[in-house]
């Protein structure tokens, strides 16, 4: 059995749902690394810090304590307070990509991610897990889907939560985030050479989970 699984890909490719289902099936830890970046972005927002120019950043980062738990659902704590819901606010959606571009933030979170992911068998989901965070992962998966499909999934998710947002706006955001995430100098979103690419455009969640589960076992 492969112990450390890396799942990367752009927003809306189905990473979270797939990674969580897979982790449950394998009884592995699930780590949502986007949530760690979001928690740091929330810390910036709470302290009125504007990226990228931030004085005393290493000191500020040394004051952040991040913890996660994976039981009935994935939860995240910033300096002892649960922020699982707070990190999904639109303000944080807008702030997280610029925050994730900062080298000091990525270096700090690299250590946090490795410590959590290597503490036990795990499924770690993000953008640079196979390339930078766990280059030694036992299995690397790169999930993709056409932008229109990814935007549609995001739009559906929001609509199901009672948030009536314009589809065109969601598509614009998806394309914008793809651009920022894949063109940044530091650890851009890209497929690791030894990753297996799965296009989820025409597959159900269960089909994708099944495919990866077979790869974990063999
Ligand atoms: O997966 P998500 O949408 O919650 O991620 C939020 C942002 O964090 C995303 O715009 C890019 C960044 N991110 C990253 O740079 N590296 C990761 N491993 C995970 C997320």
């Amino acid at each position: 059995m492969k112990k450390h699984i890396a799942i990367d890909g752009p927003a809306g490719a189905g990473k979270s749902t797939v990674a969580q289902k897979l982790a449950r099936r394998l009884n592995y830890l699930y780590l949502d690394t986007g949530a760690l970046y979001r928690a740091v972005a929330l810390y910036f927002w709470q302290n009125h810090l504007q990226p990228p120019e931030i004085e005393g950043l290493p000191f500020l980062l040394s004051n952040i304590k991040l913890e996660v738990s994976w039981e009935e659902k994935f939860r995240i704590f910033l300096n002892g307070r649960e922020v699982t819901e707070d990190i999904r606010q639109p303000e944080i959606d807008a702030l997280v990509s610029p925050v994730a571009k900062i080298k000091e933030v990525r270096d700090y979170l690299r250590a946090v991610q490795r410590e959590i992911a290597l503490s036990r068998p795990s499924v770690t989901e993000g953008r640079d897990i196979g390339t930078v965070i766990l280059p030694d992962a036992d299995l690397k998966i790169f999930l993709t889907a056409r932008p229109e499909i990814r935007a549609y999934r995001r739009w559906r998710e929001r609509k199901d939560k009672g948030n009536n947002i314009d589809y065109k706006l969601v598509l614009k955001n998806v394309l914008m985030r793809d651009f920022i995430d894949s063109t940044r100098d530091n650890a851009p979103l890209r497929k690791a050479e030894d990753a297996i690419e799965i296009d989820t455009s025409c597959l159900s969640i269960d089909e994708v989970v099944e495919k990866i589960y077979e790869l974990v076992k063999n």
Side-chain angles (χ1 to χ4, degrees):
M1 282 291 252
K2 299 181 175 83
K3 284 212 172 93
H4 294 108
I5 321 299
I7 301 190
D8 291 304
K15 290 185 308 270
S16 299
T17 321
V18 166
Q20 289 186 36
K21 278 205 160 189
L22 182 70
R24 291 239 180 272
R25 186 146 165 205
L26 293 163
N27 196 21
Y28 283 12
L29 174 74
Y30 161 70
L31 176 60
D32 171 1
T33 61
L36 297 172
Y37 286 92
R38 286 172 177 273
V40 173
L42 178 67
Y43 182 84
F44 277 34
W45 191 64
Q46 286 170 342
N47 291 284
H48 311 287
L49 302 167
Q50 286 287 343
E53 308 276 322
I54 294 162
E55 220 179 290
L57 188 58
F59 173 73
L60 288 167
L61 291 172
S62 71
N63 276 331
I64 299 182
K65 186 168 172 233
L66 293 170
E67 291 158 296
V68 300
S69 84
W70 172 238
E71 281 159 30
E72 75 285 1
K73 65 168 188 167
F74 178 83
R75 297 164 73 195
I76 179 156
F77 302 81
L78 170 61
N79 292 336
R81 193 172 76 79
E82 179 165 9
V83 293
T84 312
E85 301 298 327
D86 296 0
I87 60 168
R88 305 284 160 196
Q89 296 170 57
E91 292 84 352
I92 305 304
D93 280 345
L95 195 58
V96 66
S97 280
V99 167
K101 277 169 79 170
I102 304 173
K103 183 180 182 302
E104 287 83 353
V105 170
R106 300 203 76 83
D107 289 346
Y108 161 73
L109 284 182
R110 180 173 186 270
V112 174
Q113 291 169 78
R114 281 188 65 83
E115 191 184 331
I116 301 171
L118 297 175
S119 66
R120 47 175 276 211
S122 56
V123 179
T124 304
E125 170 226 317
R127 305 289 196 287
D128 61 345
I129 309 305
T131 49
V132 176
I133 306 301
L134 301 174
D136 40 1
D138 302 305
L139 176 66
K140 300 179 186 178
I141 302 291
F142 195 80
L143 289 188
T144 57
R146 290 195 298 277
E148 297 73 19
I149 303 253
R150 294 190 279 117
Y152 173 76
R153 289 177 183 158
R154 278 282 144 103
W155 174 79
R156 252 326 297 219
E157 247 170 53
R158 302 263 154 108
K159 198 170 147 80
D160 289 348
K161 286 185 185 157
N163 189 346
N164 240 334
I165 182 167
D166 182 23
Y167 166 78
K168 283 204 185 115
L169 188 67
V170 182
L171 178 60
K172 203 174 139 205
N173 274 336
V174 162
L175 294 171
M176 173 66 88
R177 278 228 266 154
D178 280 1
F179 180 75
I180 299 182
D181 293 345
S182 56
T183 54
R184 68 173 171 233
D185 295 338
N186 255 315
L189 167 68
R190 104 185 138 72
K191 177 178 165 288
E193 265 171 30
D194 51 349
I196 298 170
E197 182 164 343
I198 303 177
D199 185 335
T200 70
S201 301
C202 303
L203 295 174
S204 72
I205 296 289
D206 287 338
E207 284 169 328
V208 181
V209 173
E210 188 59 40
K211 261 183 194 263
I212 306 177
Y213 183 77
E214 288 305 320
L215 293 167
V216 174
K217 280 198 319 185
N218 299 319

